Amino acid sequence: MIDLIKRLPKAELHLHIEGSLEPELMFRLAKKNNVEIPYESIEDVRNAYNFTNLQTFLDIYYAGANVLINKDDFYDLTWEYILKCVENNIIHTEIFFDPQTHTSRGIPFETVITGIKEALADAKEKYGITSCIIMCFLRHLSQQEAFETLEQSFRFKEDIIGVGLDSSELGNPPSKFEAVFKKAKEEGFKLVAHAGEEADFTYIYEALDLLAIDRIDHGVQSIKSPELMKRLKEEQMPLTVCPNSNIELKVFQTYKEHNIKELLDYGLNISVNSDDPAYFKGYINQNFINLCENLPITEGDIVTLVKNSFKSSFIDNDLKNEYLAKVDEAI
Ligand code: ADE
Ligand code: ZN
């Protein structure tokens, strides 16, 4: 099974680039940029990664992002993730970034997007890895602030394929962002949203009906509504599930309680993703391996999950078919 996981080329559809900041790079950048971080050592950092829910993670994650200042920092951050893609056999990746985490600290939008973009261009040239960039609105901030971020993105429209919605879910339902998602759709952006990660399945209905999203990020709470499950299956709406993340953030108390196998067996369009791999103990292959070690996942399931990742990506059909053929070849 482990050999199959490693051998299969994969797409990653749910990856926050700020969540790929490894402690070693955090320390290097803190020193270079003279930014104080509340840790004495790398070991100290890893010990702090002991979360009880989404918010306890987000507090630490936003503090870590403070070390990112210059274009080169965003380049290095992205390049390190690309090296992990090579290790994990990820041949296509659709990465999230959170512009407001940086613009609120006075870092220009352009600095962030340019650093990320240049690393992704080099990834294509050096390794043939293809990619898209999705800009997420922070849902704990206002819709007005999301509108301002959307405006800032217009200059970089050819670099950004879609918009997403992340950060503190509870108390910040998709309905809060209905107007800005409508505007983003009119502007031609693809739409995704975190929904049903910690909050209940009504958030998934809102994301579908009010935001008109193309993919759901997480969505694991859908299992509580048979009616929603039926709809997700009929529409083959993609759910980008992140198993390690769900365990680390205590959405499920243990791996054995994770519902991904049930969602998959029901016929939903599920993919496996790493979310914030530097914080959640592993990149995509480790997520697959943990699933196999804890749940009755079959080789057929792994192939389905991997094929779903390509089918649900935002690449054109020709490239999708080329990548799906590569998967078949690897099998
Ligand atoms: N930002 C980074 N990771 C996130 C997650 N798992 N949920 C919501 N917002 C996030
Ligand atoms: Zn996420």
Side-chain angles (χ1 to χ4, degrees):
M1 288 283 248
I2 292 178
D3 180 58
L4 177 70
I5 290 164
K6 292 184 176 169
R7 196 168 70 242
L8 290 179
K10 290 163 234 61
E12 177 141 72
L13 307 179
H14 184 156
L15 177 283
H16 302 262
I17 199 65
E18 296 89 348
S20 71
L21 177 63
E22 289 287 347
E24 289 77 7
L25 183 59
M26 190 193 293
F27 262 80
R28 180 163 76 71
L29 294 179
K31 205 166 165 204
K32 175 178 83 83
N33 294 329
N34 266 320
V35 176
E36 278 208 25
I37 49 171
Y39 311 109
E40 297 276 317
S41 65
I42 307 270
E43 199 194 347
D44 223 13
V45 185
R46 295 209 194 273
N47 287 338
Y49 293 176
N50 193 358
F51 313 114
T52 50
N53 56 26
L54 175 58
Q55 193 59 51
T56 54
F57 155 68
L58 290 170
D59 293 342
I60 285 185
Y61 161 84
Y62 293 130
N66 284 338
V67 303
L68 300 159
I69 307 283
N70 303 301
K71 186 187 87 173
D72 288 354
D73 304 341
F74 290 94
Y75 181 99
D76 290 351
L77 172 71
T78 308
W79 187 251
E80 287 208 353
Y81 167 64
I82 288 300
L83 297 179
K84 300 291 186 182
C85 288
V86 174
E87 248 177 62
N88 283 260
N89 214 348
I90 292 170
I91 60 171
H92 175 73
T93 181
E94 306 196 346
I95 70 170
F96 296 136
F97 79 112
D98 290 336
Q100 291 158 298
T101 300
H102 314 297
T103 53
S104 66
R105 301 180 288 119
I107 313 293
F109 192 107
E110 182 172 13
T111 300
V112 183
I113 188 85
T114 312
I116 295 172
K117 189 178 97 170
E118 288 180 2
L120 295 178
D122 287 350
K124 175 82 171 64
E125 195 179 311
K126 185 154 187 211
Y127 298 116
I129 294 172
T130 53
S131 57
C132 307
I133 302 176
I134 299 169
M135 159 183 96
C136 287
F137 301 127
L138 297 180
R139 69 201 305 161
H140 66 273
L141 302 179
S142 68
Q143 176 164 247
Q144 180 51 38
E145 287 162 291
F147 263 113
E148 287 160 18
T149 303
L150 183 64
E151 294 255 317
Q152 288 178 303
S153 76
F154 289 158
R155 263 179 68 209
F156 307 98
K157 219 167 168 183
E158 69 275 20
D159 303 319
I160 301 172
I161 197 159
V163 306
L165 187 64
D166 66 1
S167 192
S168 320
E169 187 180 22
L170 288 165
N172 297 297
S175 52
K176 183 176 161 185
F177 297 92
E178 190 175 352
V180 74
F181 268 66
K182 184 164 181 283
K183 174 75 174 158
K185 193 177 178 71
E186 286 165 8
E187 294 290 337
F189 289 104
K190 301 275 189 197
L191 307 176
V192 301
H194 284 52
E197 178 184 11
E198 272 191 342
D200 69 30
F201 67 85
T202 61
Y203 280 47
I204 302 173
Y205 271 116
E206 283 195 12
L208 293 170
D209 294 332
L210 304 182
L211 306 188
I213 49 162
D214 298 296
R215 288 199 304 244
I216 298 168
D217 294 315
H218 294 295
V220 291
Q221 303 299 339
S222 54
I223 207 156
K224 308 258 171 62
S225 165
E227 182 204 0
L228 175 59
M229 289 285 281
K230 194 161 166 280
R231 175 173 170 189
L232 294 173
K233 179 178 175 174
E234 276 166 11
E235 294 179 9
Q236 280 298 289
M237 173 60 62
L239 268 66
T240 63
V241 174
C242 307
N244 274 21
S245 164
N246 295 152
I247 303 309
E248 291 301 313
L249 302 186
K250 313 289 188 290
V251 172
F252 300 95
Q253 296 311 309
T254 67
Y255 239 108
K256 300 220 183 297
E257 290 163 74
H258 200 289
N259 66 13
I260 189 167
K261 174 70 175 157
E262 282 138 285
L263 299 176
L264 193 62
D265 284 351
Y266 185 82
L268 299 197
N269 178 353
I270 306 291
S271 61
V272 168
N273 305 272
S274 69
D275 205 5
D276 301 285
Y279 292 87
F280 299 150
K281 305 191 176 112
Y283 289 77
I284 204 167
N285 283 353
Q286 194 58 52
N287 275 266
F288 275 105
I289 291 167
N290 290 348
L291 286 180
C292 290
E293 287 181 344
N294 290 283
L295 296 169
I297 297 278
T298 65
E299 290 193 356
D301 290 335
I302 293 171
V303 171
T304 302
L305 289 162
V306 166
K307 286 193 170 177
N308 285 345
S309 71
F310 289 107
K311 289 178 187 165
S312 307
S313 70
F314 291 142
I315 53 183
D316 64 39
N317 280 336
D318 284 351
L319 190 56
K320 261 184 204 180
N321 289 333
E322 195 183 301
Y323 283 160
L324 287 167
K326 277 184 195 261
V327 175
D328 283 328
E329 226 172 86
I331 296 166

